[in-house]
Amino acid sequence: QVQLVQSGAEVKKPGASVKVSCKASGYTFTSYDINWVRQATGQGLEWMGWMNPNSGNTGYAQKFQGRVTMTRNTSISTAYMELSSLRSEDTAVYYCARSPAFDIWGQGTMVTVSS
Amino acid sequence: ESVLTQSPATLSLSPGERATLSCRASQSVSNDLLAWYQQKPGQAPRLLIYAASNRATGIPARFSGSGSGTDFTLTISSLEPEDFAIYYCQLRREWPPYIFGQGTRLEIK
């Protein structure tokens, strides 16, 4: 079936980087953009950026410009989101989602930033 | 810049009742750019409605979307126990391409 499967939970120290993966299956990976959305505990959904897996083109929300990098490996149908210079406010669940419809979501990856 | 405002923040209803959730955009938007999602605790959001009024695959008929311009509504005609969750509207636009409303929590009365 069509699905996105994300990597497991991460615990990082402030200032470190985290790289989350999102593996697509059941559809042609390069046919749909991949977006990243995060959600702090008890908070709403925050769009971070998108990537076109075919071209590698990306677009990032202004809030994350300079700290986020979205890449892909088409040979294994996997997208990646790397966030650097982590701070405690980055503690959240990070989701990948297929667009334009956001009809398929990954299960989420908990990233905890703590000293 | 278009902003989405959802109301109410919390809606308390009983199973069998009708739920009406609102999403208001600060500027007029095209219907085909508005979507609704349901999120249950510990789960990823699920697409319910796209293009303002089209149910996604597998979504029960008790869910319906309507509206145009700046005012959009998600209606659940008769609440089932599994419908108690948080609901988000989402707008697709030029840039940034996606924004979400702050959500409406639908809780059991």
Side-chain angles (χ1 to χ4, degrees):
Chain A
Q1 73 277 28
V2 177
Q3 61 179 353
L4 297 171
V5 178
Q6 299 182 223
S7 49
E10 302 265 12
V11 179
K12 297 291 182 181
K13 294 194 181 302
S17 297
V18 67
K19 191 171 186 177
V20 180
S21 67
C22 171
K23 182 174 177 59
S25 60
Y27 73 96
T28 302
F29 177 61
T30 51
S31 295
Y32 295 84
D33 291 350
I34 293 288
N35 293 258
W36 292 88
V37 176
R38 78 176 186 181
Q39 185 174 41
T41 302
Q43 302 300 307
L45 302 169
E46 181 176 33
W47 181 81
M48 298 178 67
W50 66 270
M51 182 193 63
N52 181 307
N54 186 44
S55 64
N57 289 345
T58 57
Y60 305 138
Q62 185 172 4
K63 177 176 180 177
F64 301 101
Q65 285 276 0
R67 282 211 301 145
V68 71
T69 305
M70 297 177 187
T71 57
R72 88 291 191 208
N73 182 336
T74 55
S75 67
I76 56 171
S77 300
T78 300
Y80 303 92
M81 186 281 299
E82 184 170 21
L83 188 62
S84 62
S85 302
L86 290 169
R87 35 213 189 224
S88 58
E89 310 91 88
D90 294 318
T91 294
V93 176
Y94 290 76
Y95 294 101
C96 58
R98 184 177 85 164
S99 67
F102 285 68
D103 56 339
I104 304 296
W105 293 67
Q107 83 276 21
T109 297
M110 181 72 214
V111 175
T112 302
V113 183
S114 174
S115 54
Chain B
E1 174 176 303
S2 192
V3 173
L4 292 180
T5 302
Q6 293 187 241
S7 61
T10 303
L11 185 57
S12 299
L13 294 170
S14 300
E17 290 192 292
R18 181 184 186 90
T20 303
L21 287 67
S22 173
C23 176
R24 176 166 290 177
S26 57
Q27 302 176 28
S28 183
V29 300
S30 172
N31 282 18
D32 60 3
L33 304 178
L34 197 287
W36 289 92
Y37 300 85
Q38 176 194 66
Q39 187 178 32
K40 297 180 180 179
Q43 297 184 17
R46 177 174 71 145
L47 176 67
L48 295 176
I49 302 287
Y50 65 93
S53 61
N54 298 276
R55 276 190 303 277
T57 303
I59 301 303
R62 64 181 181 273
F63 291 91
S64 63
S66 63
S68 64
T70 60
D71 293 305
F72 298 88
T73 300
L74 174 68
T75 301
I76 310 172
S77 59
S78 178
L79 286 166
E80 297 287 342
E82 62 267 26
D83 298 337
F84 292 91
I86 299 175
Y87 293 83
Y88 295 94
C89 58
Q90 179 209 44
L91 176 64
R92 183 157 55 96
R93 54 184 189 166
E94 192 68 33
W95 190 264
Y98 302 103
I99 59 168
F100 293 92
Q102 79 279 21
T104 290
R105 179 183 301 274
L106 179 54
E107 64 178 26
I108 300 176
K109 189 174 182 179

